[in-house]
């Protein structure tokens, strides 16, 4: 049996939207590549059981807002399957620090500042990296192994759902804008929250209050940031 056979099934009601046949079509090459790297004892992050954590914690039905990251964190015990998040107890990464700073400047306070973003996900925030895996100490190492096929399929399904707010930060995330049906959904863009670009417009973007205003306008509960 394929070592990563479980990756051909998404958790929650995502499986109804993207079935195993669709996953095999878009991920066969990706999963074969992952297997080849694991067979060579190359460390892959996040752990295999956490690759689909974003879908596990945020069902298709509950998804009302999407935030894209880039790579998972590429150091041991950091990546947990949610974009920008780390497990509780880990040092908060610079980009997430800037996200918290913008939330505080935008709405006046931060409810969750531990680095663990599970509570956001449980409220309907799909925290997706555009690459769902990475190799140890090699940022960008899995950016071209086919994860985009799944991410693009997810966007396609959410387009049909409608009234989803997409927060696109940085060039990699903003490149997905062309796939989003803005007649049915909402897009807010800004520079990436990295210390290298946050002062070019991420600070002051007010995406967190703007997103909640959109959700409330659509009779949907806002996010407790």
């Amino acid at each position: 049996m394929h070592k990563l056979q479980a990756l051909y099934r998404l958790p929650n009601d995502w499986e109804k939207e993207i079935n195993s046949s669709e996953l095999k079509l878009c991920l066969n090459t990706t999963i074969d590549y992952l297997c080849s790297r694991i067979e060579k004892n190359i460390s892959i992050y996040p752990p295999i059981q956490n690759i689909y954590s974003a879908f596990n914690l945020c069902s298709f039905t509950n998804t009302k807002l999407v935030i894209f990251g880039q790579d998972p964190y590429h150091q041991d015990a950091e990546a947990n399957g949610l974009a920008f998040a780390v497990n509780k107890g880990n040092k908060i990464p610079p980009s997430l620090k800037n996200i918290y700073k913008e939330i505080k400047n935008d709405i006046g306070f931060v409810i969750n500042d531990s680095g663990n973003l599970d509570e956001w996900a449980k409220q309907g925030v799909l925290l997706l990296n555009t690459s769902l895996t990475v190799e140890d100490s090699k940022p960008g190492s899995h950016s071209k192994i086919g994860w985009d096929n799944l991410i693009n399929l997810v966007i396609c399904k959410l387009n049909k759902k409608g009234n989803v707010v997409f927060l696109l930060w940085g060039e990699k995330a903003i490149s997905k804008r062309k796939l989003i049906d803005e007649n049915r959904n909402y897009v807010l863009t800004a520079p990436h929250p990295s210390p290298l670009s946050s002062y070019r417009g991420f600070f002051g973007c007010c995406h967190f209050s703007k997103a909640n205003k959109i959700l409330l306008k659509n009779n949907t509960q806002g996010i407790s940031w």
Side-chain angles (χ1 to χ4, degrees), residues 61-154:
T61 300
N62 289 343
T63 297
K64 50 190 176 183
L65 190 148
V66 181
I67 296 176
F68 285 116
Q70 295 182 13
D71 271 351
Y73 297 119
H74 54 85
Q75 301 296 334
D76 186 32
E78 289 188 342
N80 63 9
L82 300 183
F84 294 106
V86 290
N87 290 322
K88 194 170 184 177
N90 282 25
K91 183 179 179 181
I92 298 175
S95 291
L96 185 54
K97 280 186 180 180
N98 285 338
I99 290 171
Y100 287 152
K101 183 176 181 179
E102 174 59 19
I103 292 173
K104 187 173 183 180
N105 290 338
D106 182 11
I107 64 177
F109 55 89
V110 178
I111 294 174
N112 168 48
D113 61 359
S114 72
N116 183 308
L117 302 181
D118 286 11
E119 291 305 314
W120 288 8
K122 291 174 183 177
Q123 293 177 76
V125 181
L126 186 64
L127 292 157
L128 271 186
N129 283 308
T130 50
S131 295
L132 298 191
T133 54
V134 71
E135 293 178 15
D136 182 58
S137 302
K138 292 184 178 180
S141 52
H142 287 185
S143 63
K144 296 181 180 179
I145 69 168
W147 283 121
D148 266 1
N149 295 326
L150 173 58
I151 301 305
N152 295 348
L153 188 54
V154 168

Side-chain angles (χ1 to χ4, degrees), residues 94-95 98-99 102 191-204:
S95 291
N98 285 338
I99 290 171
E102 174 59 19
H192 195 275
S194 160
L196 297 175
S197 55
S198 55
Y199 287 94
R200 299 175 189 165
F202 178 78
F203 289 139

Side-chain angles (χ1 to χ4, degrees), residues 42-54:
I42 293 170
S43 295
I44 304 293
Y45 304 132
I48 299 304
Q49 68 270 20
N50 292 339
I51 288 176
Y52 288 158
S53 287

Side-chain angles (χ1 to χ4, degrees), residues 1-74:
M1 180 177 287
H2 209 303
K3 288 185 177 181
L4 301 181
Q5 192 75 19
L7 293 181
Y8 287 126
R9 295 186 63 182
L10 289 179
N12 275 322
D13 57 352
W14 287 99
E15 189 176 10
K16 294 179 182 178
E17 303 300 322
I18 303 174
N19 60 43
S20 59
S21 296
E22 287 179 295
L23 281 177
K24 286 179 180 178
L25 282 173
C26 72
L27 289 184
N28 257 335
T29 302
T30 304
I31 292 174
D32 284 345
Y33 182 83
L34 289 175
C35 278
S36 71
R37 304 305 278 171
I38 291 170
E39 286 172 358
K40 293 179 180 178
N41 294 316
I42 293 170
S43 295
I44 304 293
Y45 304 132
I48 299 304
Q49 68 270 20
N50 292 339
I51 288 176
Y52 288 158
S53 287
F55 301 107
N56 188 45
L57 291 171
C58 182
S59 69
F60 175 82
T61 300
N62 289 343
T63 297
K64 50 190 176 183
L65 190 148
V66 181
I67 296 176
F68 285 116
Q70 295 182 13
D71 271 351
Y73 297 119
H74 54 85

Side-chain angles (χ1 to χ4, degrees), residues 132-196:
L132 298 191
T133 54
V134 71
E135 293 178 15
D136 182 58
S137 302
K138 292 184 178 180
S141 52
H142 287 185
S143 63
K144 296 181 180 179
I145 69 168
W147 283 121
D148 266 1
N149 295 326
L150 173 58
I151 301 305
N152 295 348
L153 188 54
V154 168
I155 293 173
C156 177
K157 300 299 182 180
L158 290 174
N159 275 335
K160 296 177 182 178
K161 175 183 170 77
N163 287 331
V164 176
V165 182
F166 290 84
L167 303 188
L168 307 182
W169 302 331
E171 290 183 8
K172 182 70 173 178
I174 292 172
S175 71
K176 298 298 182 186
R177 183 171 194 167
K178 63 182 179 292
L179 302 175
I180 299 168
D181 182 354
E182 294 187 54
N183 292 317
R184 297 173 57 86
N185 301 285
Y186 305 86
V187 176
L188 300 175
T189 66
H192 195 275
S194 160
L196 297 175

